[in-house]
Amino acid sequence: MLAYRHAFHAGNHADVLKHIVLAEVLRYMGENTHAGAGGYSIEGRYAQKKGEYAAGVARLWDVKSLPPLVERYLALVKAFNPDGQLRQYPGSPAIANLLMREQDRLRVYELHPTDHRILASYLESRPQTQVADTDGFAALKGELPPPSRRGAVLMDPSYELKTDYAKVLAALREGLQRFADGVFMIWYPQLQLLESAQLAQRLKAAADAGAKKGWLHVRLTVEQQNNDRGFGMLGSGMFIANPPFTLHDELQECLPLLVDKLGQYDGANYVLERKSV
C-alpha cells in the first residue's frame, strides 16, 4: 500500500469524476478526511510517465459551454494554474482548501511518507487543520460526529490491497451509526475483480440501513478490457450517502459530456442511480 503514488495518475478520468463530486459536496459542507498530496505537477516525471491527464482533465481544458457542474470543477483546476496552462493538478486536499472557509475544520490522513510531508507543508498555515500520517479508517471513529454536526467524509484508498474494500464498507457502516446524516463519499476503481464489482451493492445496503437522506451512485466507464489477464482500470465510481439533493440532476446533465470527452471506446457509458428517503 505504501508504494502507491497518486502522482502517476493525477488528472485522469477517475480524478475528474471524483473531484466534480467532491467539489460540489464541499460547496454545501465543510469537513473532509482521507487525502494524498496537496497538488501534482502535470509536467513532473510521475505524471508524464503515464500521461493519464491527457485522457482526463486535458480533454476538458478548452471545451466551451460546459455544464455548470463541470465548469465549476474546471474553474478550480484553472485557479491552480494562473498562467492559463495546465501545469498543476489539485488533489483532494487542494480542492477542499479552495472551497472551505477559514473556520471550517479539515482533517486529512495520508500514509505514504513523501506525500504526507508534501501535504503537511501545503496545509501548514491553514487554521483548524490537522494532517496525520496515520490510517484514516482507524482515525475516523474519533472524528464522528463533528462538533458542528455538519460534515463530509471522503474515503479514497488506493485499493492496492483487497482488504481496502472491506475497510471502506465497515467504515461506512460505523460512520453512519455515529453520524447518520453526515455526507460520506467513497471513490472506487472499476476493475475486473469480484471485490470491485460487488462494492456498490454492498454500499447501497449499508446506506439503506443507516443513511437518513438516502444515497447516490455514479459510475463512469471509459475503457474496455484489452487483455486476457483482466488487468487495468475500466473506469471508476463514486458512492455518496446523504448526498446534496441537487447533485443527481447536475450529474445527469454533465455525464453525457464526460462520456463523450473521456470515453476511449465506442461503448463508453455511465450509470447514475439514487434512492431518496
Side-chain angles (χ1 to χ4, degrees):
M1 179 169 59
L2 295 183
Y4 177 83
R5 298 295 304 279
H6 189 74
F8 286 108
H9 314 288
N12 69 357
H13 58 84
D15 269 357
V16 172
L17 179 64
K18 179 199 311 175
H19 290 146
I20 283 175
V21 172
L22 173 63
E24 202 58 27
V25 168
L26 289 181
R27 293 179 197 280
Y28 288 82
M29 311 299 298
E31 299 174 56
N32 151 298
T33 183
H34 264 102
Y40 305 94
S41 172
I42 294 297
E43 299 176 328
R45 62 187 179 92
Y46 291 136
Q48 288 293 324
K49 183 174 182 178
K50 293 180 175 290
E52 293 184 15
Y53 69 92
V57 64
R59 292 191 177 185
L60 302 173
W61 193 253
D62 294 318
V63 177
K64 308 299 182 185
S65 302
L66 291 166
L69 199 63
V70 182
E71 188 172 14
R72 291 194 291 270
Y73 152 74
L74 204 58
L76 294 171
V77 182
K78 290 187 174 183
F80 225 63
N81 294 272
D83 68 352
Q85 301 297 313
L86 180 56
R87 304 182 192 280
Q88 300 281 331
Y89 187 82
S92 300
I95 296 286
N97 194 38
L98 288 168
L99 289 171
M100 293 170 66
R101 302 168 302 175
E102 187 174 277
Q103 67 267 31
D104 291 331
R105 295 170 69 247
L106 178 64
R107 301 291 183 266
V108 291
Y109 301 92
E110 174 56 50
L111 285 172
H112 194 286
T114 302
D115 281 351
H116 172 263
R117 287 193 298 271
I118 296 170
L119 184 58
S121 176
Y122 173 70
L123 292 173
E124 65 181 356
S125 62
R126 189 188 187 280
Q128 300 292 329
T129 299
Q130 293 179 10
V131 180
D133 58 350
T134 56
D135 184 355
F137 290 119
L140 185 59
K141 182 186 300 185
E143 295 291 344
L144 300 178
S148 65
R149 307 298 299 188
R150 283 175 56 82
V153 174
L154 171 64
M155 293 184 238
D156 180 23
S158 68
Y159 295 98
E160 281 197 312
L161 299 178
K162 290 184 179 181
T163 52
D164 281 351
Y165 293 93
K167 286 182 177 181
V168 160
L169 181 59
L172 178 63
R173 287 170 175 163
E174 185 168 24
L176 288 171
Q177 288 176 356
R178 292 174 173 272
F179 189 30
D181 53 359
V183 180
F184 292 84
M185 296 168 281
I186 296 168
W187 176 86
Y188 69 91
Q190 185 184 357
L191 305 169
Q192 289 195 333
L193 290 175
L194 183 62
E195 292 83 1
S196 175
Q198 293 181 340
L199 183 60
Q201 289 301 121
R202 291 176 173 176
L203 294 172
K204 291 175 192 177
D208 285 341
K212 285 187 175 181
K213 301 175 184 177
W215 51 262
L216 184 151
H217 173 234
V218 56
R219 187 178 70 230
L220 181 63
T221 303
V222 300
E223 295 189 46
Q224 62 183 347
Q225 192 56 250
N226 57 12
N227 65 63
D228 295 333
R229 300 182 66 187
F231 294 148
M233 186 166 67
L234 310 182
S236 67
M238 286 288 285
F239 182 87
I240 306 97
N242 298 316
F245 73 95
T246 58
L247 186 57
H248 177 276
D249 291 350
E250 290 181 306
L251 283 170
Q252 183 72 68
E253 183 181 6
C254 76
L255 282 165
L257 177 134
L258 295 181
V259 168
D260 178 56
K261 297 298 182 183
L262 306 184
Q264 299 175 31
Y265 78 114
D266 289 341
N269 62 86
Y270 71 87
V271 170
L272 179 62
E273 51 191 352
R274 65 176 170 181
K275 182 173 182 180
S276 301
V277 176

